[in-house]
Amino acid sequence: MFSALANPARFMAFSRWAAPILALVAAGLIGAGLWLGLNAPPDYQQGDTVKIMFIHVPAAWVAMMAFACLGGASFISLVFRHALADAAARAVAPLGAAFTGVALVTGSLWGRPMWGAWWVWGDARLVSVLVLFLLFLGYLALRASIDDEAKGARAAEILALVGLVNLPIIHYSVQWWNTLHQGESVMRAGGSALAPVYLTPLLLAGAGYSAAFGALWLARIRSEVWRRRATSLALRAALA
Amino acid sequence: MTVLMVLIRRELSLAWARGGGALLAVGFFVAAAVMLPLSLGPAPARLAAVSAGVTWVVLSLASLLSLDRMFERDFDDGALDLLALGPLPLEVVAAVKCLAQWTVSGAPLSIAAPVVAVALGARPEAAPMIFVAAALGGLAFAFLGGTGAALALASRRGGVLIAVIVLPLLTPPVIFGGAAISNFADRLPWITAVSLLAAYALACVALTPFAMAGACRNAQS
């Protein structure tokens, strides 16, 4: 399926339908997840603030998925010099930054009632998501500052791959640091064993976020392809 | 081999001459460290608590200083094109450049680091450990910084762009180095942190030259 879609014309024909369908699926799943989530009973410890989870946790999942997609698209573009892969990498970076930003902001809003602070440095995941956000920003800054499109694409690809190799190291080093510096920070008690009444809406919202991410990504790749076509048409018109 | 020696000598003398060489980095490092007691107040207990961490942060910032000239000068006057055509692969050239950067700014900084840390209130016994950690961390800073400098080559914007690209990548060495120093100060086991720092620095030395060479070829094309 993947190699078939590498053909830009086939990709455009496919994504023309796939993007709106995915958007509908996303709306349905997120709607169902939020409906179930908001009607779930309040947590015995966290009260109603536990419901922030249904918009926060999926955003963090999608943020990490977006960086993996950025790395994958960059790798394909760097190795096979495929124009569509470069368009995909370019399209996914601002999306990933946005989802990471949503995860950070909602996490901070959740942290205020739960931990009594907007930001807790003792939590490893908070810090590694923040570094992920900075990596996205670095990618966008590098891409934006190079005028030559082909050169900018190559440089950004190399940076994305360096970041992809570094990301697990950053993640584990932050975790390691956290266990060393475990201070007075109040952590959530027993988070892993999630009751089905919370797990179902969380998984629904997660699937919905992923579908929304897919729809937005496809739409952004489409607009990137159109932009390139418009640029080359304008160049051709100027030369004629 | 002689080609390599000539290249090393050239890069060292260029790095030494580039923007004040060692004096610049050490001067920035000491000046930034002086700001700390001025902003936090002179209470020795408070300074001693943050001395290790602040030394490490300022060290990582000081190692960013002369990065923008690392490849740019050679790129502008065409020397990089000649080096790319020469007998040595561009990966080796990039590695030699980073080693020269480390010799000229990382090594003097790692001599200055224990002095600054002790002046801020770290225990004097920690000095050899701080020296080793700073030297290893400087190696990682030089190679990651070189990667950022090579990537920014195509942009003609240098400075701040390199810092924005490189700083998130510096998280692991900052964590390992800071932990090594503060663990030593707290009399906790610190060998793990230093070993992890060494492993990370060596991985940077082994892997980043490929990224740098790719970025240089891209900027030249």
Side-chain angles (χ1 to χ4, degrees):
Chain A
M1 176 180 140
F2 180 77
S3 54
L5 288 179
N7 176 336
R10 225 173 289 157
F11 170 82
M12 291 306 269
F14 164 79
S15 60
R16 185 171 180 190
W17 297 105
I21 290 173
L22 268 178
L24 281 177
V25 170
L29 283 173
I30 292 177
L34 283 186
W35 173 256
L36 282 179
L38 292 179
N39 284 319
D43 185 70
Y44 80 103
Q45 260 186 332
Q46 309 199 11
D48 277 326
T49 56
V50 73
K51 289 161 188 175
I52 301 176
M53 176 171 74
F54 305 120
I55 52 172
H56 166 70
V57 174
W61 285 344
V62 171
M64 278 181 280
M65 190 164 79
F67 201 85
C69 290
L70 176 64
S74 298
F75 178 78
I76 293 170
S77 171
L78 194 67
V79 174
F80 302 107
R81 303 285 182 112
H82 200 287
L84 203 56
D86 175 52
R90 188 182 177 131
V92 78
L95 266 184
F99 275 103
T100 317
V102 169
L104 284 173
V105 169
T106 53
S108 172
L109 289 174
W110 195 7
R112 182 74 184 101
M114 288 324 301
W115 299 335
W118 297 110
W119 188 263
V120 178
W121 286 105
D123 187 20
R125 263 179 295 183
L126 242 69
V127 179
S128 56
V129 170
L130 182 61
V131 176
L132 178 68
F133 187 61
L134 294 178
L135 283 175
F136 272 123
L137 287 192
Y139 178 91
L140 289 172
L142 179 65
R143 185 120 207 186
S145 69
I146 301 180
D147 299 328
D148 183 328
E149 203 153 300
K151 281 186 186 181
R154 298 276 286 167
E157 281 151 15
I158 296 173
L159 179 64
L161 286 182
V162 171
L164 194 68
V165 173
N166 236 304
L167 196 64
I169 305 176
I170 292 173
H171 182 74
Y172 287 110
S173 67
V174 169
Q175 256 178 4
W176 181 80
W177 164 78
N178 175 45
T179 57
L180 277 179
H181 287 234
Q182 191 63 274
E184 60 289 329
S185 60
V186 189
M187 289 293 107
R188 205 153 51 90
S192 56
L194 214 57
V197 69
Y198 293 133
L199 193 60
T200 315
L202 182 62
L203 291 181
L204 279 176
Y209 266 63
S210 309
F213 168 72
L216 288 169
W217 194 14
L218 285 179
R220 286 189 57 90
I221 299 176
R222 285 178 65 79
S223 66
E224 174 69 18
V225 171
W226 286 122
R227 191 187 63 79
R228 288 184 184 181
R229 263 182 221 172
T231 316
S232 65
L233 280 179
L235 271 178
R236 211 176 298 164
L239 285 175
Chain B
M1 208 57 208
T2 50
V3 184
L4 190 62
M5 291 314 292
V6 170
L7 180 69
I8 290 174
R9 199 176 304 155
R10 167 182 189 273
E11 293 302 333
L12 274 179
S13 52
L14 270 181
W16 192 259
R18 178 204 299 150
L23 205 60
L24 182 78
V26 175
F28 173 84
F29 178 60
V30 173
V34 166
M35 293 296 165
L36 176 79
L38 296 181
S39 64
L40 283 181
R46 192 191 291 173
L47 285 179
V50 295
S51 64
V54 167
T55 308
W56 199 255
V57 167
V58 178
L59 202 62
S60 67
L61 292 181
S63 65
L64 292 176
L65 275 185
S66 45
L67 287 178
D68 51 340
R69 315 289 300 274
M70 241 174 107
F71 289 94
E72 199 178 71
R73 187 180 279 183
D74 281 354
F75 180 67
D76 283 343
D77 64 12
L80 203 57
D81 294 326
L82 283 179
L83 287 170
L85 291 172
L88 290 173
L90 213 44
E91 283 82 0
V92 175
V93 174
V96 168
K97 274 184 179 294
C98 293
L99 281 176
Q101 166 82 5
W102 178 77
T103 316
V104 168
S105 94
L109 279 175
S110 53
I111 295 172
V115 179
V116 166
V118 171
L120 287 175
R123 283 190 297 139
E125 304 94 87
M129 212 279 295
I130 296 178
F131 169 74
V132 172
L136 285 172
L139 206 56
F141 293 157
F143 277 78
L144 286 171
T147 310
L151 284 172
L153 212 49
S155 87
R156 333 285 306 135
R157 213 151 298 184
V160 185
L161 176 67
I162 299 178
V164 170
I165 295 174
V166 169
L167 276 176
L169 299 175
L170 296 187
T171 328
V174 165
I175 287 175
F176 298 142
I181 299 177
S182 66
N183 278 13
F184 190 91
D186 299 340
R187 298 186 166 76
L188 292 168
W190 46 273
I191 295 285
T192 321
V194 176
S195 333
L196 284 172
L197 182 62
Y200 189 82
L202 291 178
C204 287
V205 172
L207 295 177
T208 55
F210 297 100
M212 282 184 264
C216 289
R217 288 197 194 98
N218 173 45
Q220 286 169 333
S221 62

